Amino acid sequence: VRRGQSQELSALGAAINAAVHVGLHSDYAAAAREMTALGPQIVPESADREAYESVFQHSYLPMFRGIGGLLRR
């Protein structure tokens, strides 16, 4: 698994939009290539699978079901 290096994704997205708008980058693909980076690789521990599954089932899925309709609009 690789996450982005930045933890401030809202600010990064706004900066990418601004960079394209003012002409620092010709398009969003170019801005994203230049302004983003991947963080270190994270290798999940197979021994922790049950814990990951529990969080997915009891936290993520209920939350997603609650907001899923908003995401489809």
Side-chain angles (χ1 to χ4, degrees), residues 1-3 10 12 14 21-23 32 37 48 50 55-56 70 72:
V1 176
R2 296 214 49 193
R3 296 188 320 190
S10 296
L12 179 58
H21 179 74
V22 300
D48 294 333
E50 286 184 35
V55 169
F56 180 76
L70 296 173
R72 290 187 197 97

Side-chain angles (χ1 to χ4, degrees), residues 40-60:
Q41 184 173 2
I42 301 166
V43 179
E45 296 287 334
S46 58
D48 294 333
R49 185 187 184 291
E50 286 184 35
Y52 296 140
E53 184 66 23
S54 178
V55 169
F56 180 76
Q57 292 294 329
H58 301 342
S59 298
Y60 176 79

